[in-house]
Amino acid sequence: MSIFVFNVQQVRGRELTSHAESLDYLKSLGLPVSPRYHIVHDIEDAIAEIEQIGQNRAALDFDMDGAVIKVNNFAQRELLGSTNKFPRWAIAFKYPPEVKETTLRSIEVGVGRTGVLTPTACFDPVFLAGTTVSRATLHNEDFIRQLGLCIGDTIQVRKAGDIIPEVIGVTRHEPDAQPYQMPEFCPSCGAPAVHLEDEAALRCVNPECPAQALRNIIHFASRDAMDIDGLGTMVATQLVDKGLVHSAADLYDLTIEQLLTLEKFKEKSANNLLQAIEASKQNNLDKLMFAFGIRNIGDKAAALLAEHFGSLQAIREATEEQIGEIDGFGGVMAQSVTEFFAKDGTTDLVHRLADAGVNMQWKGEPKGDKLAGKTLVVTGTLETLSRSEAEALIVKNGGKASGSVSKKTAYVVAGAAAGSKLTKAQALGVPVLTEVEFLAMIAEDKSQQ
Ligand SMILES: [Zn+2]
């Protein structure tokens, strides 16, 4: 770490009257100051100096992204004063990021955890803003098409904000150059890559794609999904890396011998995990529906589906129209469900889960009616319940849990540090309940049944 000192905040036994004088003084004390500072007398000279500094920029042995013009005389600075944010006696000029030319050698396509195919430009190394760079993201197919990229092109690269390398243009194509085409198949699993709706991104939608397997398994085991205690990111990563698990269905085939090969796993922890996996087979259908990780289907929508249709089989057989009839379901959500079950990979996954003995029926609990027809919003941090537990209680008592406050909201349940939702409830005159009042309301409901 090294610095250039540029300001004397306070000094005793010496009177400094200008910026240049204070820099000279700092230098005389042996402190490092910027090697280049000039006093100019009008704006034309200031502009010329800024241009000069910009031209010499590449030759400096440090990175520099701008220059500052300051009033030199301290008495004049005092007179000018400052706004509530900035002094009126100084202004910064920012130079555009340095641009270099290089040759595009190849485009690598990776698969992100959400299945998005991400192209990366690989080019001859260039020195830019302090480091050597040879790769830059190309974002998606549209971006590549807009640039008209071909392998072998002479391209312009720079660092956005002097940090992130980016390709900003093509200066020359090779003779016979062909526009680059994104692959039609997932580079990880070979499944066809598709555009969903009007997304610019190409996606692999194979639920068993190894590139996405990890993310799917972590989601499958998470608390609001199958709630498999002890199967977090660390364990899931090892299971996928060791090739023990490729899809959620493989979890139910794991043996104690396999688990004992994982880092930090002893007999006890391995047995605990096997028990948690076994116990998850008894989960209600809403948890399994959420665990599938269907696009646009959160835990609330998963619960609505499970309750409405009663079994996984019925959900799989339902048409988009039938699903769309559920109160609270939009067309996009219904479409996401039918698309998920229409995929080959899904059929296999469902069959394997069924063979493993995973529950696929809705075990309907009789609903209370104290909150029937009422919409409640939970906000802030409650003392004993998590937000999802409170929302589950609302649904269990016949109510609807919503994320936003409107005139139709019956109650807002507010905990500590409740913010804008509480303010909105108060503004709309929506009754606000504490956690204790909310629990009392439900308890009363149970005694009535
Ligand atoms: Zn794939």
Side-chain angles (χ1 to χ4, degrees), residues 111 186 188-191 204 206 209 212:
V111 187
C186 170
S188 178
C189 71
C204 169
N206 173 9
C209 175
Q212 302 166 61

Side-chain angles (χ1 to χ4, degrees), residues 284-286 288-289 292 302 304-318 341 350 359-364:
N284 207 344
L285 180 59
D286 60 332
L288 178 62
M289 282 310 300
F292 282 135
L304 288 172
L305 275 171
E307 202 189 350
H308 185 89
F309 289 103
S311 73
L312 186 63
Q313 189 56 31
I315 298 171
R316 290 175 67 199
E317 287 167 0
F341 286 108
V350 169
N359 169 56
M360 299 192 165
Q361 301 295 318
W362 170 247
K363 297 184 266 192

Side-chain angles (χ1 to χ4, degrees), residues 317-392:
E317 287 167 0
T319 63
E320 212 173 297
E321 289 70 33
Q322 288 168 330
I323 296 170
E325 282 167 13
I326 303 176
D327 186 29
F329 259 66
V332 175
M333 290 162 78
Q335 192 188 345
S336 295
V337 175
T338 53
E339 276 175 3
F340 175 77
F341 286 108
K343 287 186 294 192
D344 289 345
T346 306
T347 307
D348 184 55
L349 178 68
V350 169
H351 284 156
R352 288 190 57 205
L353 290 173
D355 289 346
V358 174
N359 169 56
M360 299 192 165
Q361 301 295 318
W362 170 247
K363 297 184 266 192
E365 293 174 41
K367 268 192 182 179
D369 59 0
K370 182 68 184 177
L371 302 177
K374 296 200 168 87
T375 301
L376 282 81
V377 175
V378 183
T379 182
T381 310
L382 303 182
E383 263 173 48
T384 67
L385 297 171
S386 72
R387 184 163 314 176
S388 53
E389 283 165 348
E391 288 176 346

